[in-house]
Amino acid sequence: MPAATAAVRYQGTGTGAVLPDVPYEERQWPDGPRWRTFQGGPCLPQPPDDDEADRRLGPIGSVRRPSAEEVRLVNAAILLRRPLLVTGRPGVGKSTLAYRIARELRLGRVLQWPITSRTTLASGLFEYDVIGRAQAGQAWYAARQHNGPADGPDGGDPASGDEARVDIGEFIQLGPLGTALLPHHLPRVLLIDELDKGDADLPNDLLTLFEDGWYAVPPLVRVKRRSPEVIVHTADPGRTAPIVDGLVTTRSFPLVIMTSNGEREFPEAFMRRSLRFDIPDPGPEALGELVAAHFADQLGDMHDRLVRDFMTRSEQVHGLAADQLLNAAHLATSGAYTPAEGDGAEWQALLSAIWHPLSTDVRADGAEPSA
């Protein structure tokens, strides 16, 4: 195996960056299949980092033992340049996989695209404030008329093309999907969260985009003769990127993590071009690692008991989310409560309240409501 490929192998241990300390522009990435190679460019600067991974995962250095399937499928997605569809019950940690990958492989901030029933492909690619641009053009023209022809070399009105003086790039904002497909030296991590909540056509629209690796920005295509290169805003705060001739072509295909709660099936063609990873409910070891990542040894002897009680409660109410366990751990370490060694009534009542069933089909005592 080439050294470059070995250097970027995902391990999922949560120990932080496992790559050599090489500058971003000099880091290598394993070659993908010939049919998944793209030639966009020139490459943009190194993407920014943020503290979102630490907030979600805990500080770097927390011990974590990933499943063999997780490691296998993430590395396959890297080599094949294919999106990874992550399924599982709500609260098992599907979206956090994107942040583990980005932090371990030092790929910058995760681009997050939450999906709703109103989400369209275009909204993930870019937004164009046409009204704002028209208002700015009218204001520019009115100021020009007021100041007279000495304000510039040409007369004219907005309809004749002088509206180009109002920079169209100021009114175009790339979305998370559009930003992920910009030509970067290394792939960006794109989290498409809860894809199954979107419109039925969205998976097929994504499939075409992922196969082609490029998209057009129609407002920029229309002005490419006057403005062949336009600087637009991206989904990274405070960042911009140039777009030439209104077209964006990727270079390093992004690492796409798509989550689904299994609310509906996806088209066969979409599934054929995706890898699928089903996350099971976490066991006591995984839950213990999660709590330790955020609270270290603050819980002391209560750590194992809290995890054990959570597992029991989860079985009673047919499943709880991992963040409900973290909520209990925070309350136990906040100093506002003093959980007793025995069954303190107040503490047990509090646990029953925050470890409530996730489904309305289950009562607080774990029984199904009567008809």
Side-chain angles (χ1 to χ4, degrees), residues 104-166:
E104 182 172 307
L105 300 182
R106 294 191 286 134
L107 297 176
R109 68 185 294 270
V110 172
L111 295 163
Q112 184 175 6
W113 186 27
I115 304 299
T116 70
S117 59
R118 299 179 299 276
T119 300
T120 64
L121 182 70
S123 67
L125 291 174
F126 70 92
E127 293 183 355
Y128 175 37
D129 184 5
V130 63
I131 295 177
R133 187 187 179 214
Q135 291 173 338
Q138 290 294 336
W140 177 86
Y141 179 63
R144 182 181 176 85
Q145 291 293 95
H146 179 269
N147 293 330
D151 186 54
D154 303 316
D157 59 67
S160 68
D162 256 353
E163 77 275 14
R165 302 295 182 87
V166 179

Side-chain angles (χ1 to χ4, degrees), residues 162-175:
D162 256 353
E163 77 275 14
R165 302 295 182 87
V166 179
D167 186 2
I168 187 174
E170 289 298 317
F171 302 92
I172 292 180
Q173 170 84 53
L174 299 187

Side-chain angles (χ1 to χ4, degrees), residues 1-11 18-20 22 26-31 75 78-79 105:
M1 179 180 293
T5 299
V8 297
R9 183 172 178 81
Y10 174 77
Q11 297 179 8
V18 297
L19 300 176
V22 177
E26 298 177 14
R27 288 172 53 193
Q28 300 299 310
W29 198 253
D31 294 333
N75 284 307
I78 291 173
L79 292 170
L105 300 182

Side-chain angles (χ1 to χ4, degrees), residues 111-344:
L111 295 163
Q112 184 175 6
W113 186 27
I115 304 299
T116 70
S117 59
R118 299 179 299 276
T119 300
T120 64
L121 182 70
S123 67
L125 291 174
F126 70 92
E127 293 183 355
Y128 175 37
D129 184 5
V130 63
I131 295 177
R133 187 187 179 214
Q135 291 173 338
Q138 290 294 336
W140 177 86
Y141 179 63
R144 182 181 176 85
Q145 291 293 95
H146 179 269
N147 293 330
D151 186 54
D154 303 316
D157 59 67
S160 68
D162 256 353
E163 77 275 14
R165 302 295 182 87
V166 179
D167 186 2
I168 187 174
E170 289 298 317
F171 302 92
I172 292 180
Q173 170 84 53
L174 299 187
L177 177 60
T179 301
L181 289 169
L182 287 169
H184 294 96
H185 174 61
L186 297 177
R188 296 297 299 270
V189 177
L190 171 66
L191 171 61
I192 304 179
D193 213 6
E194 298 190 326
L195 179 61
D196 50 339
K197 293 186 181 300
D199 183 82
D201 292 331
L202 184 57
N204 282 329
D205 293 340
L206 283 171
L207 179 61
T208 300
L209 182 68
F210 289 162
E211 287 299 299
D212 295 342
W214 68 273
Y215 66 94
V217 183
L220 300 186
V221 174
R222 289 194 290 270
V223 302
K224 67 179 182 180
R225 290 186 179 180
R226 293 195 306 269
S227 304
E229 179 175 298
V230 177
I231 306 298
V232 303
H233 300 280
T234 74
D236 291 318
R239 294 291 185 99
T240 59
I243 296 181
V244 178
D245 292 338
L247 300 177
V248 174
T249 302
T250 194
R251 185 178 183 89
S252 294
F253 189 80
L255 271 167
V256 182
I257 306 299
M258 308 177 295
T259 71
S260 169
N261 293 327
E263 295 184 2
R264 65 180 176 85
E265 295 295 324
F266 296 110
E268 181 178 328
F270 180 80
M271 295 301 299
R272 188 171 68 248
R273 292 175 173 86
S274 304
L275 301 177
R276 180 168 180 172
F277 172 39
D278 186 64
I279 299 182
D281 289 355
E285 286 189 359
L287 290 173
E289 292 169 357
L290 175 65
V291 172
H294 288 275
F295 297 95
D297 57 356
Q298 296 179 52
L299 285 164
D301 295 339
M302 190 181 179
H303 179 279
D304 292 340
R305 186 171 74 255
L306 190 65
V307 170
R308 186 171 59 252
D309 291 347
F310 176 82
M311 294 287 294
T312 300
R313 177 65 172 169
S314 183
E315 292 177 1
Q316 290 174 347
V317 299
H318 308 295
L320 294 174
D323 58 351
Q324 291 175 284
L325 172 60
L326 293 180
N327 288 340
H330 176 72
L331 292 175
T333 59
S334 66
Y337 300 92
T338 55
E341 289 293 334
D343 295 331

Side-chain angles (χ1 to χ4, degrees), residues 59-133:
I60 291 178
S62 305
V63 176
R64 180 175 184 270
R65 284 161 285 192
S67 69
E69 185 179 16
E70 175 188 318
V71 174
R72 183 186 309 119
L73 287 173
V74 170
N75 284 307
I78 291 173
L79 292 170
L80 295 174
R81 308 295 199 267
R82 290 295 183 185
L84 181 60
L85 177 63
V86 184
T87 59
R89 195 174 54 78
V92 298
K94 298 184 294 294
S95 61
T96 57
L97 177 60
Y99 293 90
R100 285 197 294 270
I101 295 171
R103 182 164 76 174
E104 182 172 307
L105 300 182
R106 294 191 286 134
L107 297 176
R109 68 185 294 270
V110 172
L111 295 163
Q112 184 175 6
W113 186 27
I115 304 299
T116 70
S117 59
R118 299 179 299 276
T119 300
T120 64
L121 182 70
S123 67
L125 291 174
F126 70 92
E127 293 183 355
Y128 175 37
D129 184 5
V130 63
I131 295 177
R133 187 187 179 214

